[in-house]
Amino acid sequence: MDDAASAPPARRSARVRAPEPVGKGGWLNTGGDGYTLAGLRGRIVLLDFWTFACINCLHVVDELRELEERHRDTLVVIGVHSPKFPHETEHAAVADAVERYAVRHPVLDDPELTTWTQYAVRAWPTLVVVDPEGYVVATHSGEGHAPEIGRLVTELEVEHAAKGTLRRGDLPYAPPEPEPTVLRFPGKVLRLPSGTFLAGDTTRHQLVELAEDGETVLRRIGLGERGLTDGAADTARFQEPQGLALLPDGAVAVADTVNHALRRVDLASGEVTTLAGTGSPWRRGDAVSGAAREVNLSSPWDVTWWRDRLWIAMAGIHQLWTYDPADGTVARAAGTGEEGLVDGPAGQALFAQPSGLAVTPRGLWVADSESSALRLLDPDGQVRTAVGAGLFAFGHRDGPADEALLQHPLGVTALPDGSLAVSDTYNHALRRYDPGTGEVSTLATDLREPSGAVVDKGDVVVVESARHRLTRLRLPAEVVSPPAAERSVTEIAVGRVRLEVVFEPPPGQKLDTRDGPATRLLVSAAPPALLRSGEGAGSELSRALETDPAVGPGVLHVVATAASCDAGPDVLHPACHVHRREWRLPVRPVAGGTDRLAVELSGADGAGGASGQTPYPSL
């Protein structure tokens, strides 16, 4: 929402009496008591104006942990929850967020922004320092100010100890006892090739493998304490892990969000290693590419495999990055770093807290949470918005995509028919976007803060984060049914397979090569790990693929286009055409399977017209 790099410098205020914080929602983490600045006289008070949807606010919560501990007998931090979205005005949701993000200080729930207004706050997050005599002495907007505030607190301690106006004592903090659930605020879920599920047990800083029923715990990975430690499953440490993705080598990549890192889990041994990140958050001016272990990341929230790279939803700086396992590097791929909803070339587009990723033949889909939008990065590097209108356009409305509304979605999932399921988090709903019709509909409601989902046969398994569970829902028959261009399962060879798209220009036409190659082939797979090599775009209609038999059955997504123009000595103004077709090819790598897959785009009999021959103007 706000950014420390663009925020004005802190100001040491004149002698202005700090207004008493009040909020209709009441207090949290106080054991039922309320606090006043008058009652805290003699203590240094830091008011943190935050809202739980704001990634910058969550960064500040983490930045303040060390400061709170170091000055625990003189400094009282009070979080003033000041909502943006309607869901954030619900007291139960605020209480959930306080536990979810381990906020370890008193929190005032101010759903009507009363205290926000009294302090003339204009941005999330904002920090206000009140001295032991009850006067505002400094105000900061954005993140990254903990060192400066720490120095000020030390100065105030010295100054008011000398004046006799400093009072020391224990921090007024009384959290509620968490409920004993199997999962606690899970983030994302991954279906493993074995049929089991791996979930991020975010608040407990672990990964949990669950049986096919989605309930029975098979094992836990991680010690269960905050930290960035590699090693065995029972000693490694995470910090609020979120996104999960299967890598081509069969391991799992983890978006270790609060560690600002990517981790790797060997499923056979449970061994955890670090792939990328230093453990420190990215700041303006830091490198945006380089050796993965030497570049700072910022709150990676989800990951997925696409085009020979691991793609990262870098929620903390509103960008998409990639990790290349071949050379161990990371690089910025899309987004300027400014927060907004702007389409265009990847390097010029603006995102707003991207938090969910999914791949289809159309490209990389992004749940852009803070703009309540569904975005697409296509294979040609263009970003466009499918659903969503801006940072303050949100709600729950079905219908045409340009009229539909979402509310802070955190997840997106590819469905069998080529449509997308959107985990519409703050609407407590699972929504569906159909790229073919451009329509948005609602698949399910009464889901408590869904944050991700995965398809399992004819069902979708949804992460109900605020109900601390996975919930299995039956998909409608029309969503389960594959598109008309999908075939029955083909048994293909283990290892190398030749994919060929047969195309001949219709009679009286020739390939249009005036501006470069006349043909284009795009190949991807679900799951992405099905292909060890051969995915991506190219100009040849023939492609060598290499499959991974350990992944099991999957679907090859193939999109082919060819351009042709009327030809002949008597044709003065030739009409030109684009032939295009998409296929979904269910395959199963087996010993002795076919080593050649052939599909037909069009032929001399004009079959291409039936697959989408579209005129375009001659140049």
Side-chain angles (χ1 to χ4, degrees):
M1 293 194 181
D2 201 353
D3 186 317
S6 60
R11 58 184 189 272
R12 187 74 180 258
S13 303
R15 297 282 288 179
V16 175
R17 179 68 69 180
E20 285 289 352
V22 293
K24 187 176 180 180
W27 290 85
L28 295 160
N29 279 352
T30 65
D33 295 332
Y35 291 97
T36 64
L37 293 182
L40 293 171
R41 198 74 77 234
R43 306 291 295 275
I44 302 163
V45 176
L46 176 60
L47 300 176
D48 174 17
F49 291 86
W50 71 299
T51 189
F52 64 77
C54 164
I55 191 66
N56 308 96
C57 299
L58 301 184
H59 289 170
V60 168
V61 168
D62 291 312
E63 290 171 4
L64 294 180
R65 297 187 196 280
E66 190 273 337
L67 183 67
E68 293 178 83
E69 181 60 30
R70 181 155 39 96
H71 299 277
R72 66 187 319 273
D73 65 337
T74 59
L75 176 67
V76 177
V77 177
I78 294 177
V80 182
H81 189 266
S82 311
K84 168 188 171 181
F85 292 99
H87 173 59
E88 294 175 300
T89 67
E90 300 173 15
H91 184 73
V94 180
D96 282 345
V98 167
E99 180 189 343
R100 181 197 302 265
Y101 300 116
V103 180
R104 302 194 181 281
H105 50 246
V107 173
L108 175 64
D109 181 9
D110 183 18
E112 297 177 348
L113 300 179
T114 302
T115 302
W116 167 285
T117 302
Q118 288 179 332
Y119 279 81
V121 176
R122 295 289 181 268
W124 296 276
T126 291
L127 298 165
V128 177
V129 181
V130 180
D131 73 12
E133 295 179 286
Y135 291 95
V136 173
V137 292
T139 301
H140 301 260
S141 293
E143 59 179 274
H145 297 294
E148 186 176 353
I149 292 173
R151 290 190 293 270
L152 175 57
V153 169
T154 299
E155 292 173 7
L156 291 172
E157 287 173 340
V158 174
E159 176 186 341
H160 287 274
K163 291 173 64 176
T165 52
L166 183 68
R167 178 165 59 92
R168 298 178 182 272
D170 292 333
L171 182 70
Y173 169 61
E177 188 69 26
E179 299 176 20
T181 52
V182 170
L183 300 173
R184 201 71 190 160
F185 297 106
K188 306 289 186 182
V189 64
L190 176 68
R191 187 179 183 277
L192 299 177
S194 63
T196 62
F197 298 96
L198 190 67
D201 199 8
T202 303
T203 301
R204 294 197 181 109
H205 317 296
Q206 292 179 319
L207 308 180
V208 180
E209 185 175 0
L210 301 167
E212 294 184 40
D213 62 8
E215 299 177 359
T216 304
V217 175
L218 301 178
R219 61 172 167 167
R220 291 182 177 270
I221 300 173
L223 180 62
E225 297 178 359
R226 287 182 181 273
L228 179 56
T229 306
D230 289 344
D234 59 351
T235 59
R237 293 192 295 171
F238 301 92
Q239 280 203 84
E240 299 180 23
Q242 289 281 345
L244 306 163
L246 201 63
L247 295 170
D249 65 1
V252 171
V254 183
D256 195 6
T257 305
V258 177
N259 275 327
H260 311 289
L262 297 183
R263 315 293 292 281
R264 177 186 183 275
V265 177
D266 184 298
L267 289 176
S269 66
E271 187 80 10
V272 178
T273 54
T274 299
L275 295 175
T278 65
S280 297
W282 188 95
R283 299 295 186 199
R284 193 176 297 273
D286 287 354
V288 295
S289 64
R293 294 294 302 274
E294 300 174 8
V295 177
N296 294 334
L297 308 182
S298 183
S299 295
W301 208 274
D302 201 9
V303 284
T304 195
W305 187 260
W306 185 49
R307 306 182 83 181
D308 297 321
R309 301 285 191 278
L310 186 71
W311 287 72
I312 311 161
M314 202 78 79
I317 47 175
H318 318 297
Q319 294 176 340
L320 304 179
W321 284 39
T322 60
Y323 166 73
D324 184 354
D327 59 9
T329 59
V330 291
R332 179 173 60 191
T336 68
E338 299 300 318
E339 185 176 24
L341 186 73
V342 176
D343 292 344
Q348 301 172 25
L350 268 63
F351 293 90
Q353 222 166 292
S355 302
L357 300 173
V359 174
T360 75
R362 297 174 185 266
L364 180 67
W365 295 90
V366 182
D368 207 27
S369 62
E370 198 61 24
S371 62
S372 299
L374 178 63
R375 317 285 295 281
L376 173 67
L377 172 63
D378 70 24
D380 293 323
Q382 295 291 313
V383 175
R384 67 177 181 85
T385 299
V387 185
L391 291 173
F392 290 89
F394 45 80
H396 188 157
R397 182 192 300 158
D398 288 341
D402 58 357
E403 300 176 4
L405 293 174
L406 309 170
Q407 187 186 173
H408 199 81
L410 288 177
V412 58
T413 305
L415 296 176
D417 69 338
S419 63
L420 287 306
V422 179
S423 295
D424 194 6
T425 310
Y426 288 1
N427 279 326
H428 309 299
L430 190 68
R431 313 286 293 284
R432 175 175 177 257
Y433 169 68
D434 185 342
T437 64
E439 290 287 317
V440 175
S441 57
T442 297
L443 291 172
T445 57
D446 192 31
L447 299 168
R448 189 68 182 171
E449 291 192 14
S451 56
V454 64
V455 172
D456 183 30
K457 304 180 181 67
D459 299 337
V460 60
V461 177
V462 182
V463 180
E464 279 198 89
S465 187
R467 283 200 177 111
H468 319 293
R469 69 188 188 190
L470 305 184
T471 298
R472 183 178 291 270
L473 304 172
R474 177 66 64 183
L475 286 168
E478 65 271 18
V479 175
V480 176
S481 301
E486 184 167 298
R487 301 175 167 187
S488 58
V489 176
T490 299
E491 293 187 341
I492 58 175
V494 173
R496 297 185 67 82
V497 176
R498 172 64 59 176
L499 171 67
E500 296 179 357
V501 178
V502 179
F503 174 77
E504 291 184 11
Q509 296 183 22
K510 65 178 181 179
L511 287 174
D512 181 9
T513 58
R514 293 172 296 170
D515 297 310
T519 57
R520 186 173 186 273
L521 178 63
L522 174 65
V523 179
S524 62
L530 174 66
L531 286 182
R532 286 176 169 167
S533 64
E535 68 172 0
S539 59
E540 299 293 328
L541 291 182
S542 179
R543 181 79 57 83
L545 310 178
E546 184 175 1
T547 64
D548 186 346
V551 175
V555 178
L556 295 178
H557 305 274
V558 180
V559 182
T561 57
S564 63
C565 290
D566 293 343
D570 299 328
V571 179
L572 299 179
H573 302 287
C576 296
H577 312 267
V578 171
H579 312 258
R580 183 181 187 279
R581 192 169 184 182
E582 297 185 22
W583 296 266
R584 292 170 51 86
L585 309 176
V587 296
R588 180 186 297 110
V590 297
T594 180
D595 62 359
R596 180 177 180 270
L597 284 173
V599 292
E600 185 173 326
L601 175 58
S602 66
D605 60 355
S611 62
Q613 187 179 127
T614 306
Y616 69 90
S618 176
L619 301 177

